[in-house]
Amino acid sequence: MPTAPQPSRRVLLIGDSSLLHKGVASLLMAELNLEVSDIIFTDDMAFVEAIQRLQPEVVVLKETPSLDAARFFRLLRDVPFEQALRVIVVHVEDTALDMYEKQRVVLTQSKDLVNLIRRGSSRSNSPVAS
């Protein structure tokens, strides 16, 4: 019995024109069920516009001198999202990756904060995400 196709996941690759960035882009674009958009970071306004227009579910950030993870998250702070956002930061100096998830969570009662802290990476029994 054939399996149902998996829904596409919107991925935004942000980086520079380095060989590492091009290699990551080639790897991702060859995968089925990934809608990959590739942008080169040039300025803050173009970056914010691309994030708002593309509404990615996953961002792969290859850190550059002009855009490191700290600056990325400062720029991302004011961008509204309809869904959770996973951010994967690729470092040039080693094979370790950093992964972050941004979610908007509505707390309906004070114990919801404690539940968020306790649940770790589990998605069950969580407050309402918006």
Side-chain angles (χ1 to χ4, degrees):
M1 175 194 273
T3 59
Q6 295 179 343
S8 290
R9 181 162 289 221
R10 290 182 311 279
V11 178
L12 177 59
L13 178 61
I14 303 171
D16 55 14
S17 58
S18 69
L19 187 57
L20 174 63
H21 178 84
K22 290 175 183 175
V24 171
S26 292
L27 174 74
L28 295 177
M29 289 179 184
E31 288 295 314
L32 298 176
N33 301 319
L34 293 182
E35 296 174 26
V36 180
S37 299
D38 180 17
I39 64 169
I40 304 299
F41 179 81
T42 54
D43 64 71
D44 296 354
M45 288 297 290
F47 165 78
V48 170
E49 187 278 331
I51 292 283
Q52 289 175 324
R53 178 175 39 84
L54 298 169
Q55 286 290 306
E57 296 163 276
V58 178
V59 170
V60 179
L61 170 66
K62 190 263 180 195
E63 288 188 308
T64 67
S66 60
L67 185 63
D68 62 9
R71 183 164 181 212
F72 172 84
F73 287 110
R74 278 194 306 275
L75 291 171
L76 195 64
R77 184 179 359 188
D78 298 322
V79 178
F81 283 92
E82 297 299 318
Q83 75 284 332
L85 176 68
R86 178 174 291 156
V87 178
I88 299 170
V89 180
V90 178
H91 304 283
V92 175
E93 63 275 356
D94 58 31
T95 58
L97 302 173
D98 294 326
M99 188 183 81
Y100 307 90
E101 292 195 53
K102 178 181 179 177
Q103 299 180 51
R104 182 170 206 85
V105 177
V106 177
L107 302 178
T108 57
Q109 48 190 326
S110 58
K111 69 179 180 180
D112 288 344
L113 177 60
V114 175
N115 289 337
L116 277 173
I117 293 167
R118 285 190 177 151
R119 75 180 167 127
S121 62
S122 169
R123 299 280 185 245
S124 61
N125 300 324
S126 64
V128 178
S130 65

